[in-house]
Amino acid sequence: MTVMEQRGAYRPSPPPAWQPRTDPAPLLPDAEPYRVLGTEAAAKADPDLLRRLYAQLVRGRRYNTQATALTKQGRLAVYPSSTGQEACQVAAALALQERDWLFPSYRDTLAVVARGVDPVEALTLLRGDWHSGYDPHTHRVAPLSTPLATQLPHAVGLAHAARLKGDDVVALALVGDGGTSEGDFHEALNFAAVWQAPVVFLVQNNGFAISVPLAKQTAAPSLAHKAVGYGMPGRLVDGNDAAAVHEVLSDAVRHARAGGGPTLVEAVTYRIDAHTNADDATRYRGDAEIAAWRAHDPIELLEAELTTRALIDAAAVEAARQDAEEMAADLRERMNRDPELDPMALFDHVYAETTAQLREQRALLQAELDAEQEYHGEQEGGAR
Amino acid sequence: MTTVAVKPATMAQALTRALRDAMAADPTVHVMGEDVGALGGVFRVTDGLAKEFGEDRCTDTPLAEAGILGTAVGMAMYGLRPVVEMQFDAFAYPAFEQLISHVSRMRNRTRGRMPLPITVRVPYGGGIGGVEHHSDSSEAYYMATPGLHVVTPATVADAYGLLRQAIASDDPVVFLEPKRLYWAKDSWNPEHPTEVEPIGRAVVRRPGRSATLITYGPSVPVCLEAAEAARAEGWDLEVIDLRSLVPFDDETVCAAVRRTGRAVVVHESTGFGGPGGEIAARITERCFHHLEAPVLRVAGFDLPYPPPMLERHHLPGVDRILDAVARLQWEAEG
Ligand SMILES: Cc1ncc(C[n+]2csc(CCOP(=O)(O)OP(=O)(O)O)c2C)c(N)n1
């Protein structure tokens, strides 16, 4: 039989019925970011929760201004401020149970502190005396991650492991809008969905990755839309509405804990300050945009709601402010002390058991330090 | 002969000028990376390029290093000369797959039919007080990958000249920029900016008779300072700036070591498995009978790069270099 004859014999038929694994409709995010404050939904919110969120927002804002001031005094190597993004940070911490895990990136110190980590230890990386200042196990907070999106697969792995062990632990991983372009973001979401891992991804879309605006980062209708392709729900929320972020994250955490799998949440917010104290934001954005976002301030939004509904009075506002001021004073005072540095500790944590090579290098540094000390001793002795 | 003004400039300025001149001279040169457009790069090395040449030629990419280098491969396949900026040393790691699996070996895979003229600019090294993941010296990883050229300037003139050569090269070049020298000023002749030694040639920055310090990039000024300090001890140290780690200039290095009989390799990346091991081995293989002492290495400790408050203990400084030189003397006598 010739090829032509074979071809003639071929009878096209429709392809086998194709079964999409899930109906994409429930996975798609809403067209508009979800809001609670100033809407009817606010009436259903728990007043106690709103007050707790408020106190943490005020503390968080104060933490940001204090840490920024510390950079000016040379007490921090660098500080990426989250002013304007406090609602995302605070809600991230408060949506978790104690047994859950948080996977933050470098901008997420507020979430880390709101989870209970000592404010000074949360700044260790940025002060520069060690890479991670806290014990990740104490509060179940992974080290702040600097390489973008690289912590997301870790969150998936931890959540997966917890489920394999039969623990109802959820992992919440934080990433910026820029980080969603990295391959690790894609791989993490895909693993999470395939494994139905109990993990929640929170994208804080603050408009910029250093200087690059969202429009140059993605052509997707929203970052939340990215979820659908992996087979998980995407949720869009107003990132300056603490009650809304908390509700959406809590739902996602509950869903994950119940075995429903991962969720991608995009919180739309804005980075009021420059990328870090070392960045010059005037090169890539104008004041009008910043002013518009200042008018949608997370603290003022929540305060307005609480005040309108008489859930808070002037005394309570003052008490929150006072509490934040004390936290800041304590932070300032402790950060102004020089950290205790032991150069020999450099060698202590490279391997569980050190190597002969490292012992040799340790001895070299010890000898150098001894010589330095002896030299200084002689100098002082000579002066006397 | 006209005399030309030799003016002080920073290394960053010379790099910017090199990119601009390369783009003006050759319309196939494209700059791409994170924040290279309106911001001009976090170190401002691409400042003004997007304005002058348009966003198609100086492009803010999505934030994805594998994507940046991977698309650069395709662009180079189609006849462009991409110059890629990796924002910091440790953030180039996501692009390793592209670099190692494709960029470095496309020429070889295609029997020479598809060269990839890509320049990968990587700010590297410590000493600027950067927090975690902002101070790595990754040159050994690049050196271990056949098919890549690996160069690193230590002077303003080299920053310009080597970058122009890298962009003009028909092979991929990993262009390592010592970030702590970005703002170091040097007199530089912008009228004849390209007049430096070609890629692959080392340069004797300071002649000497007692011993040869072999170094590159951020450690060059440190070695020159050590050589100055050594005069007090009666040592006349020679300093060689390798400029190019691949290809490696055995000739210049060996000629020097044969003269002095003693050598110390200095770099801030880790010593074990680091560039110094390769260099010491080459010297031993070629100059064994001229050596009066073993070739020593002064390198960073074999640690993940320390936090900024402790980095000074890690980085090879003048004292550590002089101690090694003293050991050379002792070995010779003993
Ligand atoms: C893998 C990697 N590439 C580059 C960088 C350098 N870098 C630090 S922050 C940043 C922008 C991040 O933007 P986004 O993810 O939106 O987070 P944001 O800073 O806005 O919170 C870049 C490019 C990095 N940290 N990691």
Side-chain angles (χ1 to χ4, degrees), chain B residues 27-30 72 75-82 117-118:
Chain B
T28 67
V29 174
H30 282 240
M75 288 164 71
M77 284 174 156
Y78 207 72
L80 300 184
R81 283 186 182 271
I118 298 174

Side-chain angles (χ1 to χ4, degrees), chain A residues 125 127-129 131 146-148 178 181-182 209-212 216-217 283 339 343 346-347 350 358 361 368-369, chain B residues 35 38-39 44 47 55 60 62-65 87 91 131-134 301-303 305-309 313 320:
Chain A
L125 167 80
R127 172 157 71 174
D129 44 321
H131 299 309
T146 306
L148 297 163
S181 294
E182 291 282 3
I210 308 191
S211 69
V212 180
K216 285 190 183 178
Q217 201 64 250
R283 282 180 169 247
L346 286 174
F347 297 95
V350 185
L358 283 178
Q361 294 170 24
E368 286 179 0
L369 293 172
Chain B
D35 302 288
L39 190 67
R44 306 288 183 265
D47 200 11
E55 291 188 11
D60 272 336
L63 209 169
E65 294 75 13
Q87 203 157 76
F91 306 145
V131 296
E132 193 181 19
H133 299 108
H134 288 79
F301 294 128
D302 299 323
L303 310 164
Y305 195 87
M309 285 186 174
H313 299 291
R320 205 171 285 166

Side-chain angles (χ1 to χ4, degrees), chain B residues 24-36:
Chain B
D26 180 352
T28 67
V29 174
H30 282 240
V31 168
M32 53 202 276
E34 295 155 11
D35 302 288
V36 297

Side-chain angles (χ1 to χ4, degrees), chain A residues 85 106-107 146-148 175-180 182 204 206 208-210 271 275, chain B residues 34-35 63 65 87-88 91 94 134:
Chain A
Q85 300 178 223
Y106 55 86
R107 199 181 295 287
T146 306
L148 297 163
V175 66
D177 42 302
T180 64
E182 291 282 3
Q204 292 174 72
N206 65 8
F208 290 90
I210 308 191
R271 195 191 73 211
H275 171 65
Chain B
E34 295 155 11
D35 302 288
L63 209 169
E65 294 75 13
Q87 203 157 76
F88 272 91
F91 306 145
H134 288 79

Side-chain angles (χ1 to χ4, degrees), chain A residues 39 84 98 104 124 131 176 203 238 255 283 302 305 319 331 355-356:
Chain A
T39 75
E98 209 179 308
T124 300
H131 299 309
V203 181
D238 181 339
H255 182 73
R283 282 180 169 247
L302 185 51
E305 182 81 43
L331 183 63
T355 63

